[in-house]
mmCIF file of all heavy atoms in Angstrom:
data_model
loop_
_atom_site.group_PDB
_atom_site.id
_atom_site.type_symbol
_atom_site.label_atom_id
_atom_site.label_comp_id
_atom_site.label_asym_id
_atom_site.label_seq_id
_atom_site.Cartn_x
_atom_site.Cartn_y
_atom_site.Cartn_z
ATOM 1 N N ARG Z 1 -5.938 -3.849 -15.102
ATOM 2 C CA ARG Z 1 -6.276 -5.037 -15.934
ATOM 3 C C ARG Z 1 -7.801 -5.208 -16.230
ATOM 4 O O ARG Z 1 -8.048 -6.063 -17.162
ATOM 5 C CB ARG Z 1 -5.665 -6.290 -15.512
ATOM 6 C CG ARG Z 1 -4.040 -6.311 -15.405
ATOM 7 C CD ARG Z 1 -3.573 -7.740 -15.240
ATOM 8 N NE ARG Z 1 -4.178 -8.697 -15.986
ATOM 9 C CZ ARG Z 1 -4.475 -9.969 -15.699
ATOM 10 N NH1 ARG Z 1 -4.356 -10.243 -14.380
ATOM 11 N NH2 ARG Z 1 -5.038 -10.746 -16.557
ATOM 12 N N ALA Z 2 -8.556 -4.419 -15.616
ATOM 13 C CA ALA Z 2 -10.054 -4.517 -15.767
ATOM 14 C C ALA Z 2 -10.708 -3.044 -15.840
ATOM 15 O O ALA Z 2 -10.054 -2.085 -15.493
ATOM 16 C CB ALA Z 2 -10.688 -5.256 -14.653
ATOM 17 N N LEU Z 3 -11.833 -3.105 -16.464
ATOM 18 C CA LEU Z 3 -12.578 -1.744 -16.530
ATOM 19 C C LEU Z 3 -12.918 -1.205 -15.283
ATOM 20 O O LEU Z 3 -13.293 -2.068 -14.291
ATOM 21 C CB LEU Z 3 -13.734 -1.969 -17.442
ATOM 22 C CG LEU Z 3 -13.586 -2.141 -18.982
ATOM 23 C CD1 LEU Z 3 -14.941 -2.419 -19.596
ATOM 24 C CD2 LEU Z 3 -12.784 -1.102 -19.522
ATOM 25 N N PRO Z 4 -12.668 -0.038 -14.962
ATOM 26 C CA PRO Z 4 -13.126 0.498 -13.632
ATOM 27 C C PRO Z 4 -14.670 0.440 -13.394
ATOM 28 O O PRO Z 4 -15.462 0.541 -14.419
ATOM 29 C CB PRO Z 4 -12.682 1.998 -13.733
ATOM 30 C CG PRO Z 4 -12.574 2.280 -15.174
ATOM 31 C CD PRO Z 4 -12.229 0.966 -15.811
ATOM 32 N N LYS Z 5 -15.121 0.236 -12.189
ATOM 33 C CA LYS Z 5 -16.470 0.133 -11.977
ATOM 34 C C LYS Z 5 -17.224 1.364 -11.352
ATOM 35 O O LYS Z 5 -18.285 1.569 -11.695
ATOM 36 C CB LYS Z 5 -16.711 -1.006 -10.903
ATOM 37 C CG LYS Z 5 -16.160 -2.453 -11.366
ATOM 38 C CD LYS Z 5 -16.492 -3.517 -10.333
ATOM 39 C CE LYS Z 5 -16.055 -4.770 -10.830
ATOM 40 N NZ LYS Z 5 -16.250 -5.852 -9.805
ATOM 41 N N ASN Z 6 -16.460 2.174 -10.723
ATOM 42 C CA ASN Z 6 -17.093 3.305 -10.029
ATOM 43 C C ASN Z 6 -16.441 4.587 -10.503
ATOM 44 O O ASN Z 6 -16.388 5.654 -9.860
ATOM 45 C CB ASN Z 6 -16.986 3.190 -8.480
ATOM 46 C CG ASN Z 6 -17.579 1.982 -8.036
ATOM 47 O OD1 ASN Z 6 -18.723 1.680 -8.305
ATOM 48 N ND2 ASN Z 6 -16.864 1.206 -7.233
ATOM 49 N N LYS Z 7 -16.084 4.658 -11.885
ATOM 50 C CA LYS Z 7 -15.475 5.883 -12.329
ATOM 51 C C LYS Z 7 -16.173 6.127 -13.713
ATOM 52 O O LYS Z 7 -16.447 5.243 -14.578
ATOM 53 C CB LYS Z 7 -14.013 5.760 -12.568
ATOM 54 C CG LYS Z 7 -13.328 6.812 -13.272
ATOM 55 C CD LYS Z 7 -13.141 8.051 -12.274
ATOM 56 C CE LYS Z 7 -12.442 9.149 -12.999
ATOM 57 N NZ LYS Z 7 -12.378 10.358 -12.249
ATOM 58 N N ARG Z 8 -16.490 7.389 -14.079
ATOM 59 C CA ARG Z 8 -16.983 7.909 -15.296
ATOM 60 C C ARG Z 8 -15.965 8.836 -15.956
ATOM 61 O O ARG Z 8 -15.287 9.656 -15.242
ATOM 62 C CB ARG Z 8 -18.359 8.500 -15.156
ATOM 63 C CG ARG Z 8 -19.384 7.665 -14.535
ATOM 64 C CD ARG Z 8 -19.760 6.498 -15.451
ATOM 65 N NE ARG Z 8 -20.762 5.647 -14.907
ATOM 66 C CZ ARG Z 8 -20.391 4.462 -14.221
ATOM 67 N NH1 ARG Z 8 -19.125 4.191 -14.039
ATOM 68 N NH2 ARG Z 8 -21.364 3.727 -13.856
ATOM 69 N N PHE Z 9 -15.871 8.785 -17.307
ATOM 70 C CA PHE Z 9 -14.962 9.449 -18.044
ATOM 71 C C PHE Z 9 -15.523 10.407 -19.169
ATOM 72 O O PHE Z 9 -16.682 10.352 -19.685
ATOM 73 C CB PHE Z 9 -14.032 8.484 -18.778
ATOM 74 C CG PHE Z 9 -13.386 7.598 -17.857
ATOM 75 C CD1 PHE Z 9 -13.981 6.293 -17.526
ATOM 76 C CD2 PHE Z 9 -12.096 7.848 -17.342
ATOM 77 C CE1 PHE Z 9 -13.198 5.498 -16.667
ATOM 78 C CE2 PHE Z 9 -11.436 7.008 -16.422
ATOM 79 C CZ PHE Z 9 -12.017 5.793 -16.058
ATOM 80 N N VAL Z 10 -14.800 11.414 -19.450
ATOM 81 C CA VAL Z 10 -15.148 12.454 -20.432
ATOM 82 C C VAL Z 10 -14.842 11.840 -21.820
ATOM 83 O O VAL Z 10 -15.553 12.059 -22.774
ATOM 84 C CB VAL Z 10 -14.429 13.769 -20.170
ATOM 85 C CG1 VAL Z 10 -14.701 14.663 -21.364
ATOM 86 C CG2 VAL Z 10 -14.936 14.417 -18.830
ATOM 87 N N VAL Z 11 -13.688 11.109 -21.906
ATOM 88 C CA VAL Z 11 -13.393 10.457 -23.199
ATOM 89 C C VAL Z 11 -12.827 9.044 -22.994
ATOM 90 O O VAL Z 11 -12.225 8.711 -22.032
ATOM 91 C CB VAL Z 11 -12.030 11.293 -23.852
ATOM 92 C CG1 VAL Z 11 -11.773 10.664 -25.178
ATOM 93 C CG2 VAL Z 11 -12.434 12.769 -23.853
ATOM 94 N N VAL Z 12 -13.236 8.193 -23.938
ATOM 95 C CA VAL Z 12 -12.713 6.836 -23.873
ATOM 96 C C VAL Z 12 -12.189 6.610 -25.309
ATOM 97 O O VAL Z 12 -12.757 6.921 -26.315
ATOM 98 C CB VAL Z 12 -13.826 5.741 -23.628
ATOM 99 C CG1 VAL Z 12 -13.318 4.333 -23.846
ATOM 100 C CG2 VAL Z 12 -14.349 5.828 -22.118
ATOM 101 N N THR Z 13 -10.998 6.080 -25.365
ATOM 102 C CA THR Z 13 -10.308 5.657 -26.624
ATOM 103 C C THR Z 13 -10.105 4.239 -26.771
ATOM 104 O O THR Z 13 -9.729 3.560 -25.670
ATOM 105 C CB THR Z 13 -9.034 6.377 -26.795
ATOM 106 O OG1 THR Z 13 -8.009 6.038 -25.791
ATOM 107 C CG2 THR Z 13 -9.133 7.961 -26.823
ATOM 108 N N ILE Z 14 -10.334 3.677 -27.901
ATOM 109 C CA ILE Z 14 -10.110 2.186 -28.188
ATOM 110 C C ILE Z 14 -9.361 2.192 -29.528
ATOM 111 O O ILE Z 14 -9.943 2.393 -30.585
ATOM 112 C CB ILE Z 14 -11.339 1.438 -28.181
ATOM 113 C CG1 ILE Z 14 -12.227 1.581 -27.010
ATOM 114 C CG2 ILE Z 14 -11.100 -0.066 -28.390
ATOM 115 C CD1 ILE Z 14 -13.674 0.978 -27.064
ATOM 116 N N LEU Z 15 -8.005 1.819 -29.570
ATOM 117 C CA LEU Z 15 -7.275 1.995 -30.651
ATOM 118 C C LEU Z 15 -6.788 0.592 -31.095
ATOM 119 O O LEU Z 15 -6.071 -0.055 -30.289
ATOM 120 C CB LEU Z 15 -5.946 2.807 -30.463
ATOM 121 C CG LEU Z 15 -6.221 4.183 -29.815
ATOM 122 C CD1 LEU Z 15 -4.919 4.946 -29.662
ATOM 123 C CD2 LEU Z 15 -7.278 4.987 -30.592
ATOM 124 N N ASP Z 16 -7.216 0.120 -32.241
ATOM 125 C CA ASP Z 16 -6.906 -1.168 -32.894
ATOM 126 C C ASP Z 16 -7.028 -2.314 -31.815
ATOM 127 O O ASP Z 16 -6.177 -3.101 -31.555
ATOM 128 C CB ASP Z 16 -5.467 -1.117 -33.306
ATOM 129 C CG ASP Z 16 -5.279 -0.286 -34.613
ATOM 130 O OD1 ASP Z 16 -6.320 -0.025 -35.269
ATOM 131 O OD2 ASP Z 16 -4.147 0.146 -34.819
ATOM 132 N N VAL Z 17 -8.313 -2.458 -31.294
ATOM 133 C CA VAL Z 17 -8.472 -3.420 -30.307
ATOM 134 C C VAL Z 17 -9.653 -4.414 -30.587
ATOM 135 O O VAL Z 17 -9.629 -5.592 -30.556
ATOM 136 C CB VAL Z 17 -8.717 -2.802 -28.948
ATOM 137 C CG1 VAL Z 17 -9.315 -3.805 -27.919
ATOM 138 C CG2 VAL Z 17 -7.436 -2.115 -28.319
ATOM 139 N N LEU Z 18 -10.818 -3.804 -31.125
ATOM 140 C CA LEU Z 18 -12.060 -4.508 -31.297
ATOM 141 C C LEU Z 18 -11.899 -5.700 -32.126
ATOM 142 O O LEU Z 18 -12.591 -6.623 -31.881
ATOM 143 C CB LEU Z 18 -13.019 -3.572 -31.811
ATOM 144 C CG LEU Z 18 -13.590 -2.408 -30.923
ATOM 145 C CD1 LEU Z 18 -14.640 -1.638 -31.594
ATOM 146 C CD2 LEU Z 18 -14.159 -3.019 -29.711
ATOM 147 N N TYR Z 19 -10.983 -5.635 -33.174
ATOM 148 C CA TYR Z 19 -10.900 -6.788 -34.187
ATOM 149 C C TYR Z 19 -10.345 -8.057 -33.469
ATOM 150 O O TYR Z 19 -10.617 -9.113 -34.016
ATOM 151 C CB TYR Z 19 -9.999 -6.430 -35.313
ATOM 152 C CG TYR Z 19 -8.488 -6.444 -34.970
ATOM 153 C CD1 TYR Z 19 -7.661 -7.525 -35.091
ATOM 154 C CD2 TYR Z 19 -7.991 -5.284 -34.376
ATOM 155 C CE1 TYR Z 19 -6.298 -7.474 -34.866
ATOM 156 C CE2 TYR Z 19 -6.685 -5.101 -33.977
ATOM 157 C CZ TYR Z 19 -5.826 -6.262 -34.274
ATOM 158 O OH TYR Z 19 -4.447 -6.221 -33.936
ATOM 159 N N LEU Z 20 -9.886 -7.879 -32.306
ATOM 160 C CA LEU Z 20 -9.295 -9.111 -31.534
ATOM 161 C C LEU Z 20 -10.379 -9.858 -30.684
ATOM 162 O O LEU Z 20 -10.154 -10.897 -30.216
ATOM 163 C CB LEU Z 20 -8.260 -8.672 -30.551
ATOM 164 C CG LEU Z 20 -7.037 -8.022 -31.326
ATOM 165 C CD1 LEU Z 20 -6.084 -7.301 -30.196
ATOM 166 C CD2 LEU Z 20 -6.243 -9.040 -32.083
ATOM 167 N N LEU Z 21 -11.563 -9.287 -30.676
ATOM 168 C CA LEU Z 21 -12.659 -9.934 -29.940
ATOM 169 C C LEU Z 21 -13.776 -10.481 -30.931
ATOM 170 O O LEU Z 21 -13.993 -9.959 -31.916
ATOM 171 C CB LEU Z 21 -13.307 -8.790 -29.162
ATOM 172 C CG LEU Z 21 -12.440 -8.063 -28.153
ATOM 173 C CD1 LEU Z 21 -13.316 -6.915 -27.426
ATOM 174 C CD2 LEU Z 21 -11.908 -9.037 -27.063
ATOM 175 N N PRO Z 22 -14.398 -11.597 -30.436
ATOM 176 C CA PRO Z 22 -15.589 -12.097 -31.232
ATOM 177 C C PRO Z 22 -16.674 -11.008 -31.272
ATOM 178 O O PRO Z 22 -16.755 -10.126 -30.371
ATOM 179 C CB PRO Z 22 -16.048 -13.204 -30.389
ATOM 180 C CG PRO Z 22 -14.851 -13.706 -29.516
ATOM 181 C CD PRO Z 22 -14.046 -12.392 -29.330
ATOM 182 N N GLU Z 23 -17.531 -10.990 -32.138
ATOM 183 C CA GLU Z 23 -18.480 -9.973 -32.381
ATOM 184 C C GLU Z 23 -19.458 -9.561 -31.132
ATOM 185 O O GLU Z 23 -19.540 -8.443 -30.758
ATOM 186 C CB GLU Z 23 -19.391 -10.261 -33.581
ATOM 187 C CG GLU Z 23 -20.285 -9.067 -33.947
ATOM 188 C CD GLU Z 23 -21.124 -9.238 -35.197
ATOM 189 O OE1 GLU Z 23 -20.487 -9.784 -36.130
ATOM 190 O OE2 GLU Z 23 -22.248 -8.931 -35.312
ATOM 191 N N GLU Z 24 -19.827 -10.740 -30.445
ATOM 192 C CA GLU Z 24 -20.628 -10.471 -29.371
ATOM 193 C C GLU Z 24 -19.877 -9.821 -28.168
ATOM 194 O O GLU Z 24 -20.469 -8.984 -27.447
ATOM 195 C CB GLU Z 24 -21.281 -11.866 -28.836
ATOM 196 C CG GLU Z 24 -20.234 -12.794 -28.367
ATOM 197 C CD GLU Z 24 -19.797 -13.634 -29.525
ATOM 198 O OE1 GLU Z 24 -20.086 -13.312 -30.663
ATOM 199 O OE2 GLU Z 24 -19.083 -14.811 -29.095
ATOM 200 N N GLU Z 25 -18.501 -10.139 -28.094
ATOM 201 C CA GLU Z 25 -17.871 -9.466 -26.972
ATOM 202 C C GLU Z 25 -17.536 -7.926 -27.283
ATOM 203 O O GLU Z 25 -17.459 -7.179 -26.480
ATOM 204 C CB GLU Z 25 -16.503 -10.180 -26.738
ATOM 205 C CG GLU Z 25 -16.685 -11.557 -26.113
ATOM 206 C CD GLU Z 25 -15.318 -12.193 -25.814
ATOM 207 O OE1 GLU Z 25 -14.339 -11.488 -25.667
ATOM 208 O OE2 GLU Z 25 -15.321 -13.481 -25.708
ATOM 209 N N ARG Z 26 -17.269 -7.674 -28.615
ATOM 210 C CA ARG Z 26 -17.137 -6.332 -29.016
ATOM 211 C C ARG Z 26 -18.448 -5.364 -28.745
ATOM 212 O O ARG Z 26 -18.268 -4.393 -28.240
ATOM 213 C CB ARG Z 26 -16.987 -6.319 -30.606
ATOM 214 C CG ARG Z 26 -15.534 -6.526 -31.079
ATOM 215 C CD ARG Z 26 -15.572 -6.414 -32.631
ATOM 216 N NE ARG Z 26 -15.495 -7.703 -33.253
ATOM 217 C CZ ARG Z 26 -15.790 -7.843 -34.508
ATOM 218 N NH1 ARG Z 26 -16.166 -6.789 -35.349
ATOM 219 N NH2 ARG Z 26 -15.743 -8.921 -35.125
ATOM 220 N N GLU Z 27 -19.410 -6.014 -29.040
ATOM 221 C CA GLU Z 27 -20.750 -5.238 -28.764
ATOM 222 C C GLU Z 27 -20.931 -5.049 -27.205
ATOM 223 O O GLU Z 27 -21.212 -4.012 -26.782
ATOM 224 C CB GLU Z 27 -21.943 -6.043 -29.394
ATOM 225 C CG GLU Z 27 -21.931 -6.083 -30.919
ATOM 226 C CD GLU Z 27 -23.201 -6.634 -31.455
ATOM 227 O OE1 GLU Z 27 -24.077 -6.893 -30.573
ATOM 228 O OE2 GLU Z 27 -23.199 -6.927 -32.666
ATOM 229 N N LYS Z 28 -20.587 -6.066 -26.499
ATOM 230 C CA LYS Z 28 -20.768 -5.941 -24.993
ATOM 231 C C LYS Z 28 -19.791 -4.987 -24.446
ATOM 232 O O LYS Z 28 -20.172 -4.108 -23.620
ATOM 233 C CB LYS Z 28 -20.409 -7.296 -24.399
ATOM 234 C CG LYS Z 28 -20.604 -7.367 -22.828
ATOM 235 C CD LYS Z 28 -21.971 -7.074 -22.300
ATOM 236 C CE LYS Z 28 -22.168 -7.197 -20.824
ATOM 237 N NZ LYS Z 28 -23.441 -6.838 -20.521
ATOM 238 N N LEU Z 29 -18.545 -4.841 -25.004
ATOM 239 C CA LEU Z 29 -17.610 -3.865 -24.573
ATOM 240 C C LEU Z 29 -18.111 -2.437 -24.929
ATOM 241 O O LEU Z 29 -17.980 -1.609 -24.033
ATOM 242 C CB LEU Z 29 -16.280 -4.104 -25.295
ATOM 243 C CG LEU Z 29 -15.251 -3.053 -24.969
ATOM 244 C CD1 LEU Z 29 -14.867 -2.930 -23.529
ATOM 245 C CD2 LEU Z 29 -13.825 -3.349 -25.841
ATOM 246 N N LEU Z 30 -18.578 -2.236 -25.978
ATOM 247 C CA LEU Z 30 -19.007 -0.952 -26.427
ATOM 248 C C LEU Z 30 -20.307 -0.473 -25.539
ATOM 249 O O LEU Z 30 -20.269 0.677 -25.254
ATOM 250 C CB LEU Z 30 -19.539 -0.850 -27.982
ATOM 251 C CG LEU Z 30 -18.207 -1.055 -28.910
ATOM 252 C CD1 LEU Z 30 -18.711 -1.039 -30.363
ATOM 253 C CD2 LEU Z 30 -17.240 0.088 -28.673
ATOM 254 N N GLU Z 31 -21.139 -1.434 -25.229
ATOM 255 C CA GLU Z 31 -22.215 -1.155 -24.311
ATOM 256 C C GLU Z 31 -21.686 -0.872 -22.958
ATOM 257 O O GLU Z 31 -22.195 0.200 -22.379
ATOM 258 C CB GLU Z 31 -23.202 -2.435 -24.231
ATOM 259 C CG GLU Z 31 -23.957 -2.726 -25.448
ATOM 260 C CD GLU Z 31 -24.627 -4.046 -25.371
ATOM 261 O OE1 GLU Z 31 -24.502 -4.810 -24.307
ATOM 262 O OE2 GLU Z 31 -25.329 -4.385 -26.327
ATOM 263 N N ASN Z 32 -20.608 -1.473 -22.494
ATOM 264 C CA ASN Z 32 -20.049 -1.078 -21.214
ATOM 265 C C ASN Z 32 -19.432 0.291 -21.232
ATOM 266 O O ASN Z 32 -19.492 1.121 -20.365
ATOM 267 C CB ASN Z 32 -18.939 -1.974 -20.882
ATOM 268 C CG ASN Z 32 -19.581 -3.470 -20.438
ATOM 269 O OD1 ASN Z 32 -20.751 -3.521 -19.979
ATOM 270 N ND2 ASN Z 32 -18.854 -4.523 -20.428
ATOM 271 N N VAL Z 33 -18.764 0.564 -22.417
ATOM 272 C CA VAL Z 33 -18.224 1.900 -22.604
ATOM 273 C C VAL Z 33 -19.127 2.994 -22.490
ATOM 274 O O VAL Z 33 -18.994 4.163 -21.907
ATOM 275 C CB VAL Z 33 -17.338 1.987 -23.837
ATOM 276 C CG1 VAL Z 33 -16.956 3.476 -24.299
ATOM 277 C CG2 VAL Z 33 -16.239 1.080 -23.823
ATOM 278 N N PHE Z 34 -20.340 2.682 -23.076
ATOM 279 C CA PHE Z 34 -21.595 3.790 -22.941
ATOM 280 C C PHE Z 34 -21.830 4.120 -21.617
ATOM 281 O O PHE Z 34 -22.012 5.269 -21.218
ATOM 282 C CB PHE Z 34 -22.737 3.175 -23.744
ATOM 283 C CG PHE Z 34 -23.796 4.201 -23.997
ATOM 284 C CD1 PHE Z 34 -23.757 5.068 -25.054
ATOM 285 C CD2 PHE Z 34 -24.833 4.427 -23.106
ATOM 286 C CE1 PHE Z 34 -24.706 5.988 -25.326
ATOM 287 C CE2 PHE Z 34 -25.815 5.368 -23.239
ATOM 288 C CZ PHE Z 34 -25.792 6.188 -24.371
ATOM 289 N N GLY Z 35 -21.809 3.049 -20.653
ATOM 290 C CA GLY Z 35 -22.125 3.312 -19.305
ATOM 291 C C GLY Z 35 -20.939 3.981 -18.584
ATOM 292 O O GLY Z 35 -21.111 4.621 -17.560
#
């Protein structure tokens, strides 16, 4: 139910999700995905 903290991935997919978040939360999520 939460993003993993100590795992790195080769691929991350986000399908029809971002529109459900306020803009600042969307940007924060994408920054977390980069990490």
Side-chain angles (χ1 to χ4, degrees):
R1 291 188 57 218
L3 293 175
K5 296 181 179 180
N6 301 310
K7 177 70 178 176
R8 296 295 178 266
F9 300 90
V10 174
V11 184
V12 173
T13 59
I14 307 176
L15 311 184
D16 288 339
V17 170
L18 292 180
Y19 75 96
L20 298 168
L21 303 173
E23 186 169 326
E24 62 274 11
E25 290 187 25
R26 276 185 258 166
E27 294 184 10
K28 182 64 175 177
L29 174 59
L30 293 177
E31 290 170 357
N32 288 339
V33 168
F34 192 85

